[in-house]
Amino acid sequence: MSARHDIGDGTRAVHAGLPAPEQGRPFLEGPVLASAYHLSGDPSGQPFGYGRYANPTWTAFERAIGELEGGEAVAFASGMAACAAVLLPALAPGDVLVAAADGYPAVRAIAREQLEPRGVAVRFAPTPGTGLLDALDGAKLLWLETPSNPRLDVCDVPALAAAARERGALVAVDNTLATPLGQRPLELGADLSVASGSKALCGHSDLVLGVVTAADPERATALREWRHRTGAIPGPFETWLAHRSLATLELRVERQCATALALAELLSRREDVSGVRYPGLAADPAHEPARRQMRRFGPVVSFELDGRRRAERFLAALELAAEATSFGGVHSTAERRARWGQGDAVPEGFIRFSCGCEDSADVLADVERALHASA
Ligand SMILES: *Cc1c(COP(=O)(O)O)cnc(C)c1O
């Protein structure tokens, strides 16, 4: 079933990928745990034969994501398995990859450690500004991440996708932070939307999963082939949990985005906090492109406190928000990104705060109390 535009996002999320009603059957079938299926005679045309090739739990989840993203989805073992399934087969020696310099560190590591040594030319450019556009000549693949994580800059996807298309380059957008309810990259002109399901998409901090959605069904077929050749397959149980989680996607992101905007506004008014970034803030440098291409601005707010010590005291003083990596879960989390080394190139006091689904007033009060206590 293709995306239905005549119904609201909440309705779409609740019903995404569900089978037609059938007497006595559950709304969503449980996970199918199988390595081998009964398969007699000629196997051609039989959808389910071996567990690495196909699984009905994947199929249902992929139908759901396909409806939400507006394309044909293929699920993977993790967000990085999904990223690798796009990056590795797309680029041969002599090809050029143009990628966001401020994108997910593991994606940049694949470019540097796997692609460059094989003769792929890698050009990194920052998400804001014209760097990505200027680097496009001769590119085979343009890799965008918007909003970028953790600095939350936004690039103009329709403009970049159009310029890439003119040059014959493929466009992939990492849609992890926004989720398909925040933006639909394929409608903005991208060929592929890639996401980690481990973050806001599934949102309960209880599974690792990835997905790629392709505008062109032939690309989805190639991705499925890559998956079964490399074995980058999601577990059926995780896939089922992921599908189950989608029903509340709209409720979760609505609450998270409302809290994130209120938190960004609160932090912007404080003198002991600097560099507040949230694409939904009217005064944010990313607001203009974000407003044009996004429908919701995501769960993450970033900001700076005065140095590492203050940031550590702040995190320790939070009572509701947990100190943890990752983002997009139902529980509010925060971390000092520089604790991971220089992967993100952020100041020592840089905090990434992910708003959960607690009552907004409680999250804001927790932050205010922790700022006061850590002053
Ligand atoms: C987490 C993340 C990934 C990788 O996803 P995993 O599920 O951890 O493999 C890729 N891109 C972005 C933007 C992420 O935040």
Side-chain angles (χ1 to χ4, degrees), residues 189-204:
D191 300 287
L192 298 158
S193 177
V194 185
S196 169
S198 326
K199 317 288 171 59
L201 188 63
C202 302
H204 292 66

Side-chain angles (χ1 to χ4, degrees), residues 9 12 68 147 175 177-185 188 249 253 257 290 293-298:
D9 283 348
R12 288 201 299 130
L68 297 175
N175 201 28
L177 195 136
T179 84
L181 296 194
Q183 67 192 3
R184 307 217 321 163
L188 300 174
L249 179 63
V253 298
C257 293
Q293 70 197 22
M294 300 183 74
R295 288 148 60 206
R296 297 178 179 83
F297 301 107

Side-chain angles (χ1 to χ4, degrees), residues 77-81 83 103-104 106-107 143 145 147 149 174-177 194-199 207-210 326-327 352:
S78 66
M80 280 316 300
C83 294
Y104 194 66
V107 169
W143 184 276
E145 183 183 322
N149 164 35
D174 187 328
N175 201 28
T176 300
L177 195 136
V194 185
S196 169
S198 326
K199 317 288 171 59
L207 63 90
V208 173
L209 199 93
S326 194
F327 59 85
R352 179 175 71 187

Side-chain angles (χ1 to χ4, degrees), residues 171-356:
V171 182
V173 175
D174 187 328
N175 201 28
T176 300
L177 195 136
T179 84
L181 296 194
Q183 67 192 3
R184 307 217 321 163
L186 305 185
E187 282 177 2
L188 300 174
D191 300 287
L192 298 158
S193 177
V194 185
S196 169
S198 326
K199 317 288 171 59
L201 188 63
C202 302
H204 292 66
S205 307
D206 54 6
L207 63 90
V208 173
L209 199 93
V211 62
V212 182
T213 310
D216 177 351
E218 276 181 31
R219 263 188 241 293
T221 302
L223 286 161
R224 275 190 295 272
E225 259 163 38
W226 170 269
R227 176 177 66 184
H228 92 235
R229 298 267 189 271
T230 59
I233 57 169
F237 184 67
E238 282 79 358
T239 311
W240 175 79
L241 271 181
H243 194 165
R244 184 182 188 277
S245 306
L246 289 181
T248 56
L249 179 63
E250 192 264 353
L251 286 170
R252 288 185 281 112
V253 298
E254 277 294 311
R255 171 64 65 84
Q256 290 171 323
C257 293
T259 302
L261 179 60
L263 178 61
E265 284 168 348
L266 180 155
L267 294 170
S268 303
R269 290 193 295 267
R270 288 192 65 110
E271 290 189 346
D272 56 348
V273 176
S274 62
V276 178
R277 294 298 308 269
Y278 185 63
L281 265 185
D284 193 276
H287 186 62
E288 203 33 50
R291 202 179 51 75
R292 278 184 269 123
Q293 70 197 22
M294 300 183 74
R295 288 148 60 206
R296 297 178 179 83
F297 301 107
V300 178
V301 178
S302 65
F303 56 96
E304 286 170 47
L305 296 175
D306 187 16
R308 172 177 175 164
R309 286 291 174 73
R310 171 83 202 278
E312 286 174 344
R313 285 201 306 276
F314 166 73
L315 292 170
L318 289 168
E319 290 173 10
L320 188 59
E323 185 175 358
T325 195
S326 194
F327 59 85
V330 290
H331 324 87
S332 291
T333 60
E335 75 170 331
R336 198 177 66 80
R337 282 303 289 176
R339 69 176 170 158
W340 295 99
Q342 277 314 297
D344 283 334
V346 291
E348 288 290 335
F350 182 98
I351 302 283
R352 179 175 71 187
F353 196 102
S354 175
C355 296

Side-chain angles (χ1 to χ4, degrees), residues 348-373:
E348 288 290 335
F350 182 98
I351 302 283
R352 179 175 71 187
F353 196 102
S354 175
C355 296
C357 294
E358 301 93 344
D359 290 284
S360 300
D362 293 334
V363 177
L364 268 50
D366 191 36
V367 170
E368 278 199 298
R369 187 169 50 227
L371 283 170
H372 181 72

